[in-house]
Amino acid sequence: MRLVLVLGDQLSLSLSALRKADKDSDIVVMAEVMGEAAYVPHHPKKIAFIFAAMRKFAAALRDDGWQVAYTTLDDPDNTGSITGELIRRASAFGAAGVVYTEPGEWRLINALGDLPVKSHRLADDRFIASHAEFDDWAAGRKQLRMEYFYRDMRRKTGLLMNGDKPEGGKWNYDHDNRKPAPVGVDYAGPLQFTPDAVVEQVLALVAARFGDNFGTLRPFWFATDTAQARQHLAHWIKGGLPGFGDFQDAMLNDNRFLYHAVVGLYINAGLLDPLDVCRAAAQAYRDGDAPLNAVEGFIRQIIGWREYVRGIYFREGPDYVSRNALGHDRALPAMYWGGATRMNCVAKAVAQTRDEAYAHHIQRLMVTGNFALLAGIDPGPLHEWYLAVYADAYEWVEAPNVIGMSQFADDGIIASKPYISSGNYIHKMSDHCGTCAYRVQDKTGPDACPFNLLYWHFLDRHRARFAGNPRMGNMYRVWDKMDAGKRQTVLHDAGQWLDRLDAGEAV
Ligand code: FAD
Ligand code: DLZ
Ligand code: SF4
């Protein structure tokens, strides 16, 4: 008899550890533990989502004939860690060993590697590319550009392919996907589920134990099992997918989800299979219910970006999260935890994060991420913030996005240039600037948009590193052509603004 570990983000009946196990003799171990719930101060909605989905998954396994040893957080015998629970259960059941699927964080991989019980680790094959396939693709390449990896994944899956040719003749329709914010959004947003008895029990537990964490717990409307997640997906494919491509990068004061799928949390926890999700989107295209730019864009995010960042995380190893190529060391400002700020775009992204444990890609990349990069925030605490506050965040997917894509802290493994922009980009893609205390058109002075000031401050202080980057030459030429006095004023105003930030003012 062996134990079969199922972690909170491994809630898939097709999990390799379950496939390998014997339903008649082996025992599934699942555990709500403080070690996982508190290693960063996770958003209460994220904890509630994971615990509720774990409890329902355990019930589904039992219905399916499995014996499940489930530890709730308030169980008096709870040892507080995954390894502690495995050791306790192994001793109680006299287990010969433990079978588990590779976790998505080095922290837990290393802890399980040290288990004083015979254990067998299996690959997590809920992904399209294995580690070996990604490493083979990466080997010998100077630049690991996602686009080429993505094409291989299209060929491998056959998604949107006509033989060996991409559907419509082009691999990538991103050029059609950068429209500014629409006036009206004709999609009602994600399907919302009323908490049932299991979810209510978990909500009470989370309110009592994690009520002081950043983030509001109620209203809680996430799907918490595969059937609900599939319902949500079908609802989005019908109403949201057609507009997804066009307005993927847009942001609105009064619409938090626009046409986004809000499926990351369900796929990452194992409730939805990534390939099934992509096939459903491809079917909508074939049925004439969604345009190619939307469907290709969506599929690219999942079989391209999602697989690619996972490959990078495992290829780069455990020290990836502590990289800091630009030497940024500013403390994470209180505004990330809901402290006051006059910057409307940041306030909106953080408020939505607090309420929903969700922000869409451009809010994460071009608002909170862009600001942190321009202001020189230490990427370590920033990475922990992103890991804590989003319901879809696990280190394998969060860290490459934050450390690599957003902060350039990996020195350009993922991004060929830093994702920085002045206020102009946010102005173009959103309605945030119209109701902001700052003026996006001001480049200097007391009301100047801080993104405008800090943009030049960033380029100036990192000149030695970036001036030679062919994709950044234009930026430096514009800066160098600026009147010397004006350059001085910009840097002076930026420095003063940063001093006020450091002093804890509500800037
Ligand atoms: P949609 O916009 O509808 O996209 C569909 C799906 O594509 C997503 O659900 C996701 O599975 C996948 N996807 C899209 N972009 C990426 C990407 N860059 N990397 C991996 N998968 C992607 N995604 C996470 O799943 N977890 C994270 O912790 C996370 N942290 C991020 C941090 C930063 C700084 C940035 C810039 C991006 C991060 N992303 C993360 C990627 C992306 O922002 C989210 O996947 C997306 O916002 C989730 O919302 P959605 O399901 O509505 O996605
Ligand atoms: C994120 C999370 C949380 C909050 N709690 C638990 C838990 O109590 N038990 C569990 O098995 N998993 C939890 N998880 C998910 C794990 O942290 C996740 O499996 C690892 O981070 C690896 O991706
Ligand atoms: Fe953000 Fe600047 Fe626009 Fe204000 S003016 S919302 S700070 S980009």
Side-chain angles (χ1 to χ4, degrees), residues 6-20:
V6 175
L7 292 164
D9 56 353
Q10 297 183 336
L11 309 180
S12 319
L13 288 171
S14 64
L15 192 73
S16 54
L18 288 169
R19 293 204 318 269
K20 189 86 180 168

Side-chain angles (χ1 to χ4, degrees), residues 1 171 176 222 294 354 452:
M1 191 278 290
W171 289 100
D176 304 336
F222 289 150
R354 180 197 61 216
N452 292 345

Side-chain angles (χ1 to χ4, degrees), residues 171-206:
W171 289 100
N172 184 318
Y173 290 84
D174 223 13
H175 270 300
D176 304 336
N177 288 358
R178 297 194 180 126
K179 297 197 174 56
V183 178
V185 174
D186 58 1
Y187 169 55
L191 203 55
Q192 308 206 347
F193 297 87
T194 307
D196 57 22
V198 174
V199 178
E200 281 296 353
Q201 258 194 347
V202 166
L203 291 178
L205 172 77
V206 172

Side-chain angles (χ1 to χ4, degrees), residues 244 260-264 268 298 301 358 361 364 392-393 398 401:
F244 172 82
H260 287 275
V262 195
V263 288
N268 295 348
F298 179 70
Q301 307 308 319
Y358 176 84
H361 188 68
R364 298 186 205 196
D392 54 30
E398 171 276 333
N401 273 297

